[in-house]
């Protein structure tokens, strides 16, 4: 089992819709979770961090964490074509000392 | 620009040459991390450094790869005797002091091509 699993996609949503990106992880002791956006040929850009169970909202983005189910998600409301990118889920594993473990990413395509 | 800086952005080397990748952390950050992204693969942790100290190098290949973060100047990732399999994007990230936040911010990356 991979440490961080994401559906590679592509996930296609129409402009204005809600995009839902999901991530599951195997390390039950993980405490810190991150969503990064990566455009093709570019570097990862931090979107959200989440540490506690529940929802965390920042503008059009909402991160959701459920530690019991070992599940973290990212919702993007009012999706725009500029949101088209690969979204990387990452976590700081138990005793990980800040060495982030990444999923392989989900490619999102927002269509006009 | 107060962001993480990396240079060069693109580096071409022939097999057997040495590659030196440099990273200057974000202002106020004292922790540096190096990650590698192979084509069609996820980001993989390589090494975590503070000034003059290697904290964790568990992701570094045992041979040919080394990293340093001197008291003065940027962090350096050094790859000796490069092979084609070293072709990848190498990203540096930085974070503030421990206990503040473990959020890491990435630089633009160095794309290494080995001919």
């Amino acid at each position: 089992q991979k440490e961080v699993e994401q559906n590679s996609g592509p996930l296609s949503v129409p402009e204005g819709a809600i995009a839902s990106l999901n991530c599951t992880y195997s390390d039950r002791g993980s405490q810190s979770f991150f969503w990064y956006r990566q455009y093709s040929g570019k570097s990862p850009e931090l979107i959200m961090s989440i540490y506690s169970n529940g929802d965390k909202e920042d503008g059009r983005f909402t991160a959701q964490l459920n530690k019991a189910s070992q599940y973290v998600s990212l919702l993007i409301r009012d999706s725009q074509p500029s949101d088209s990118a690969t979204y990387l889920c990452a976590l700081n594993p138990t005793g990980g000392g800040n060495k982030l473990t990444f999923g392989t990413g989900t490619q999102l395509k927002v269509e006009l | 620009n107060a962001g993480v800086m990396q240079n060069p952005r693109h580096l071409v080397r022939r097999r057997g040459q040495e590659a030196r990748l440099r990273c200057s952390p974000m202002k106020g950050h004292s922790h540096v991390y190096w990650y590698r992204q192979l084509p069609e693969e996820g980001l993989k942790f390589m090494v975590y450094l503070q000034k003059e100290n290697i904290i964790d190098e568990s992701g570094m290949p045992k041979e040919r790869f080394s990293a340093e973060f001197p008291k003065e100047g940027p962090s350096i990732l050094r790859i000796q005797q490069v092979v084609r399999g070293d072709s990848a994007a190498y990203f540096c990230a930085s974070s503030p002091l421990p206990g503040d936040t473990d959020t890491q911010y990435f630089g633009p990356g160095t794309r290494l091509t080995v001919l």
Side-chain angles (χ1 to χ4, degrees):
Chain A
Q1 181 185 8
K2 290 182 180 178
E3 292 179 87
V4 179
E5 293 214 47
Q6 295 182 257
N7 188 320
S8 61
L11 171 67
S12 294
V13 299
E15 183 177 6
I18 295 175
S20 178
L21 303 159
N22 304 314
C23 172
T24 57
Y25 60 94
S26 59
D27 182 351
R28 187 173 289 278
S30 300
Q31 297 296 320
S32 309
F33 303 87
F34 308 88
W35 282 100
Y36 287 86
R37 176 175 63 195
Q38 187 174 28
Y39 293 109
S40 181
K42 302 296 185 181
S43 62
E45 173 191 7
L46 180 70
I47 296 176
M48 298 275 285
S49 59
I50 186 166
Y51 302 91
S52 303
N53 280 327
D55 295 359
K56 180 181 178 182
E57 186 175 321
D58 184 359
R60 296 188 296 113
F61 299 97
T62 298
Q64 299 175 318
L65 176 60
N66 184 325
K67 291 183 181 180
S69 300
Q70 295 172 246
Y71 174 95
V72 59
S73 65
L74 180 69
L75 300 178
I76 306 175
R77 289 181 298 281
D78 188 24
S79 296
Q80 301 297 310
S82 58
D83 294 327
S84 298
T86 296
Y87 289 79
L88 305 173
C89 173
L91 58 81
N92 196 347
T94 305
N98 287 354
K99 53 182 183 184
L100 296 181
T101 300
F102 283 84
T104 53
T106 297
Q107 185 183 5
L108 173 67
K109 293 185 176 181
V110 180
E111 299 169 333
L112 295 170
Chain B
N1 185 350
V4 179
M5 297 177 67
Q6 289 188 251
N7 66 81
R9 298 287 297 274
H10 299 274
L11 182 61
V12 179
R13 286 287 179 265
R14 297 190 181 279
R15 281 178 296 169
Q17 291 184 320
E18 178 179 289
R20 284 193 179 220
L21 289 61
R22 289 177 289 276
C23 168
S24 296
M26 193 177 285
K27 187 176 181 180
H29 288 189
S30 58
H31 299 247
V32 165
Y33 314 83
W34 287 92
Y35 293 83
R36 177 166 66 175
Q37 189 171 38
L38 292 166
E40 307 304 324
E41 292 190 18
L43 281 155
K44 301 293 185 185
F45 167 82
M46 299 181 76
V47 62
Y48 165 27
L49 310 105
Q50 295 177 24
K51 285 282 187 182
E52 299 185 281
N53 280 305
I54 297 175
I55 306 302
D56 184 339
E57 56 181 348
S58 59
M60 289 277 271
K62 299 301 182 189
E63 298 178 348
R64 302 188 297 108
F65 285 71
S66 62
E68 63 176 0
F69 190 13
K71 186 177 180 180
E72 301 292 338
S75 174
I76 306 287
L77 179 66
R78 182 183 179 201
I79 311 172
Q80 295 177 291
Q81 299 173 344
V82 296
V83 300
R84 289 209 172 119
D86 296 333
S87 295
Y90 291 83
F91 292 101
C92 169
S94 72
S95 68
L97 291 168
D100 185 353
T101 172
D102 56 358
T103 301
Q104 297 180 22
Y105 300 89
F106 282 79
T110 294
R111 278 144 186 89
L112 173 65
T113 301
V114 180
L115 301 177

